[in-house]
Amino acid sequence: MLYVFKAQLSQALNGVSDKAKEAKEFLVQLKNILQQIQENGLEYEACLVAQCDALVDALTRQKAKLLTKVTKEREHKLKVVWDQINHCTLKLRQSTGLMEYCLEVIKENDPSGFLQISDALIKRVQVSQEQWVKGALEPKVSAEFDLTLDSEPLLQSIHQLDFIQMKLPPVPLLQLEKCCTRNNSVTLAWRMPPFSHNPVEGYILELDDGDGGQFREVYVGKETLCTIDGLHFNSTYNARVKAFNSSGVGPYSKTVVLQTSDVAWFTFDPSSAHRDIVLSNDNQTATCSSYDDRVVLGTAAFSKGVHYWELHVDRYDNHPDPAFGIARINVVKDMMLGKDDKAWAMYVDNNRSWFMHCNSHTNRTEGGVSKGATVGVLLDLNKHNLTFYINGQQQGPTAFENVEGVFMPALSLNRNVQVTLHTGLEVPQSVKQLKLPSN
């Protein structure tokens, strides 16, 4: 029995010892908090003094500006009054001299002498009288200052100046059901968690380069829905978002992974096409109202990957030579594609074709197009080359090599041609087989 009591007592003492150890650690924690309170208090006091001093400095600068306005108004009024005093004094002196002279003339006893000068003298007196026009003897300015300082809003703001409890915003929640991709664009949506009371001033959306590289900012603002265009096709992007307020930037959201389209769906672009280009069929069919060649671009832009599209010749009259290829966004649009340094093209008639860039014609190849023909364009930005096909057969050698940068599908034609664009195509097996020998 004694052993049992001793064991119980020993167990109880162990429990008390553990609590005593926790209490000692707690006391150390409290003492650390005391030290932190002292340090943080001094820091906040210094910050408060600096903020109030900045307000006083701003008020002092504004006071100086207002005093300058008052000084300018006072100097203006004084100048106007002194000008009136000087003008009136001069007129008064002239009038007084004239009156004294007239009184002396009136005293003259020689009638003939008086009659000789009386008419001229009467006119001088009348002119002198007319110079005192209406308002000449009224002050031009008032002694009162029409300046009223509205200090009430500032006084109210000073009285309302107080501390606010500001914390960093919480983690935004990505709304996965609204996040999606279309072609080479991604759309992301997010919201703040429920019952979150910390103010949010905006969001920062970040996206990587689609190849596992560093994140970069793609949007900063107050919206919670954002679409990013112009990304690489067939690429995997990671996205994340964080919120910010005046206290700083909050933590990142979870990362969402988005895959852009494997193939490109696009149409002709009416907004950038030459005004003579005529589009129809939801901007998939193009012709021209002019006998001269005009350029139209596609709505997609390529800088990475392998892309293939086709153009079907719907109408071909009088042996024109349409040009098919790629171009920069700032290509010249009132002449054949390939004549400037912003386009790489194949132009073709009913018998043969040529490649053209910077108005340099190369690789004449037999075989042309007619109504019903299909022209294929293969842009391989992994190997940086451009190849053309007519009715599934490669037309000439690889047309251009070392093509780098951002390119848009392009076409030039006149009124004798009409073509329809076909996109969203994978590279046909026959084209892949044709490309094998050159690999």
Side-chain angles (χ1 to χ4, degrees), residues 133-339:
V133 295
K134 183 179 181 181
L137 299 179
E138 295 177 2
K140 292 183 177 181
V141 295
S142 168
E144 302 297 327
F145 282 71
D146 297 328
L147 299 173
T148 303
L149 182 62
D150 184 13
S151 60
E152 186 62 29
L154 179 59
L155 291 173
Q156 290 181 0
S157 297
I158 292 174
H159 292 319
Q160 293 171 0
L161 190 63
D162 203 348
F163 297 102
I164 58 172
Q165 296 295 327
M166 180 72 78
K167 296 182 179 180
L168 293 177
V171 180
L173 301 177
L174 286 166
Q175 296 182 276
L176 300 181
E177 70 279 5
K178 295 183 180 180
C179 296
C180 60
T181 63
R182 183 181 182 276
N183 233 358
N184 62 334
S185 299
V186 298
T187 297
L188 296 113
W190 59 90
R191 62 180 176 83
M192 296 307 294
F195 310 112
S196 173
H197 302 294
N198 295 343
V200 174
E201 295 178 9
Y203 302 93
I204 300 173
L205 177 63
E206 296 182 354
L207 204 68
D208 69 2
D209 62 357
D211 198 24
Q214 296 292 320
F215 281 90
R216 68 191 191 282
E217 291 184 3
V218 293
Y219 171 75
V220 178
K222 296 182 179 181
E223 300 297 329
T224 56
L225 180 72
C226 181
T227 297
I228 302 100
D229 300 314
L231 303 177
H232 298 305
F233 287 92
N234 194 23
S235 298
T236 301
Y237 286 89
N238 295 284
R240 62 189 184 184
V241 65
K242 57 185 176 181
F244 64 87
N245 58 25
S246 58
S247 291
V249 180
Y252 284 108
S253 68
K254 292 182 178 180
T255 300
V256 62
V257 180
L258 296 165
Q259 173 76 34
T260 54
S261 176
D262 292 342
V263 294
W265 297 86
F266 60 91
T267 65
F268 291 119
D269 183 11
S271 65
S272 63
H274 190 278
R275 61 180 177 273
D276 293 338
I277 292 291
V278 179
L279 300 179
S280 59
N281 187 26
D282 294 328
N283 296 327
Q284 293 175 320
T285 298
T287 185
C288 182
S289 61
S290 172
Y291 284 108
D292 296 319
D293 291 301
R294 301 296 189 234
V295 172
V296 59
L297 301 177
T299 54
F302 303 121
S303 59
K304 176 184 175 184
V306 180
H307 308 282
Y308 178 78
W309 61 95
E310 293 181 344
L311 299 108
H312 183 268
V313 181
D314 304 326
R315 179 170 53 79
Y316 187 83
D317 304 325
N318 302 320
H319 311 302
D321 43 7
F324 309 86
I326 58 174
R328 309 289 191 194
I329 185 66
N330 57 341
V331 64
V332 177
K333 298 186 176 70
D334 59 357
M335 62 184 182
M336 180 183 287
L337 194 69
K339 286 197 171 185

Side-chain angles (χ1 to χ4, degrees), residues 87 91 126-138 140:
H87 180 75
K91 289 296 182 184
Q126 289 175 343
V127 169
S128 177
Q129 183 179 1
E130 290 172 356
Q131 288 180 347
W132 297 97
V133 295
K134 183 179 181 181
L137 299 179
E138 295 177 2
K140 292 183 177 181

Side-chain angles (χ1 to χ4, degrees), residues 339-355:
K339 286 197 171 185
D340 66 357
D341 63 345
K342 302 297 190 299
W344 294 255
M346 175 187 74
Y347 71 94
V348 56
D349 59 19
N350 61 320
N351 290 319
R352 61 193 67 83
S353 66
W354 294 262
F355 302 144

